[in-house]
Amino acid sequence: MTDDPPIALAVHGGAGVIEAMAPVQRQAIHAALEQALDAGAAVLERGGAALDAVQAAVVALEEAPWFNAGYGAVYTARGEHELDAALMEGHTRRAGAVAGVRTVRNPVRLARAVMDHSPHVLLAGQGAEQFADTQPAIARVDNAWFDTPSRLAQLHRAQAEAGEGASAAGRYFGTVGAVALDRQGHLAAATSTGGMTNKRWGRVGDSPLIGAGTWADQRVAVSATGWGEAFIRCAAAHDIAARVAHGGASLGEAAEAVVFGTLPALGGDGGVIAVDAQGRLALLFNTGGMYRGWIDRDGRRGTAIFDA
Ligand code: ASP
């Protein structure tokens, strides 16, 4: 151990009903979570910014086929992909987000570009795509590049069960996110998603909405996953921050109150990862599982899928 100020990092790859999987798939998911931890930790350990760490971790998860973000994103009801992402830096309250993008390989990078190179926080649809055209560093792909056979099978199952246009609430989550504390004591959060399987085109979830699925201030950083409509209706990520800022709650108490109280009261299921300025972590979910990984302030590291 050194006397350096602590760093802390948590990542998630979504919460929900996690279907039975082969051991080889389970290993691949753990490995992908480890890779995301490595990517974020590399930034934090060299004294880099929490904002850069969460972006690096989320890019790693967007590139992994196992999660519902970037490659491997779910399908809309009309068989395409529309991606949402956001990130936020706590001490500056700078934030960037995109919604409904279709050709951006790493939506979290475009969210960062919105933060850094536009006067806006959230760009959506065609406008976001046109903004991406002005950013040479943003890699572009055909919409079909995001296709995976397993997500297509999920769409077909959801459509058979629910009828076209109805969302498969409570199932098929897999959004990704990261929260971090850096050596300067700064916090950041990032979230990226394909949304919900069989969503109506144009539907925007909680992930790119600052305060709903993503939030960071000087006290806490939060990234959420679950049935987005419920997270939006209770401003879940900001509710956790407000309970800490104004209610005197610890991070753990605040996250518990929202994940096990407010959200289920609205019929919402899912989970959150969060970190406070002391590097304390909260990784909580009210579903059968949540893909997650962490490096705590004492350097202890782990990944998990179901309840510990
Ligand atoms: N929260 C995301 C959404 O509603 C879905 C997820 O977490 O997987 O768009």
Side-chain angles (χ1 to χ4, degrees):
M1 289 299 290
T2 66
D3 290 335
D4 287 336
I7 57 174
L9 175 68
V11 298
H12 71 79
V17 178
I18 295 175
E19 292 160 351
M21 62 186 121
V24 47
Q25 183 179 348
R26 190 180 295 221
Q27 276 165 14
I29 287 169
H30 281 288
L33 292 166
E34 294 282 2
Q35 269 176 19
L37 288 174
D38 286 343
V43 175
L44 296 172
E45 278 160 8
R46 63 168 184 261
L51 182 66
D52 293 327
V54 294
Q55 180 178 329
V58 166
V59 166
L61 294 166
E62 286 177 339
E63 291 289 314
W66 311 106
F67 310 112
N68 170 21
Y71 180 57
V74 299
Y75 288 79
T76 67
R78 60 182 192 185
E80 297 169 339
H81 308 277
E82 294 181 354
L83 310 176
D84 303 336
L87 39 66
M88 185 168 191
E89 183 175 61
H91 68 296
T92 59
R93 297 282 185 102
R94 293 192 310 150
V98 293
V101 296
R102 298 163 45 85
T103 66
V104 175
R105 176 168 173 155
N106 296 110
V108 75
R109 286 202 166 118
L110 186 60
R112 178 66 181 270
V114 170
M115 174 195 285
D116 287 345
H117 304 303
S118 90
H120 306 301
V121 168
L122 171 60
L123 292 178
Q126 282 295 311
E129 297 280 341
Q130 280 177 18
F131 175 70
D133 295 343
T134 71
Q135 302 294 310
I138 298 295
R140 308 297 283 279
V141 291
D142 287 338
N143 195 250
W145 184 84
F146 300 107
D147 288 353
T148 52
S150 61
R151 294 295 184 198
L152 190 60
Q154 282 183 349
L155 174 68
H156 292 152
R157 280 206 300 277
Q159 290 188 331
E161 284 168 18
E164 196 169 320
S167 223
R171 302 188 59 184
Y172 309 142
F173 298 156
T175 290
V176 308
V179 294
L181 167 72
D182 66 26
R183 291 214 195 283
Q184 289 69 47
H186 297 153
L187 297 165
T191 314
S192 181
T193 188
M196 310 254 319
T197 296
N198 201 30
K199 67 183 180 183
R200 181 175 282 275
W201 69 270
R203 178 266 190 187
V204 175
D206 59 314
S207 308
L209 301 185
I210 297 302
T214 307
W215 177 263
D217 59 25
Q218 66 276 31
R219 294 184 184 84
V220 305
V222 182
S223 171
T225 174
W227 183 34
E229 279 70 9
F231 284 75
I232 294 170
R233 287 192 278 128
C234 68
H238 184 264
D239 189 7
I240 292 171
R243 286 168 190 269
V244 172
H246 310 300
S250 69
L251 177 68
E253 290 164 350
E256 249 185 79
V258 171
V259 171
F260 298 113
T262 316
L263 279 166
L266 288 173
D269 54 359
V272 301
I273 57 170
V275 62
D276 70 13
Q278 286 70 48
R280 288 180 290 243
L281 296 171
L283 296 90
L284 296 175
F285 50 98
N286 60 28
T287 50
M290 180 167 78
Y291 301 129
R292 60 202 188 278
W294 62 90
I295 300 173
D296 74 13
R297 45 176 286 151
D298 300 316
R300 285 185 299 249
R301 178 177 172 136
T303 58
I305 297 179
F306 301 101
D307 252 322

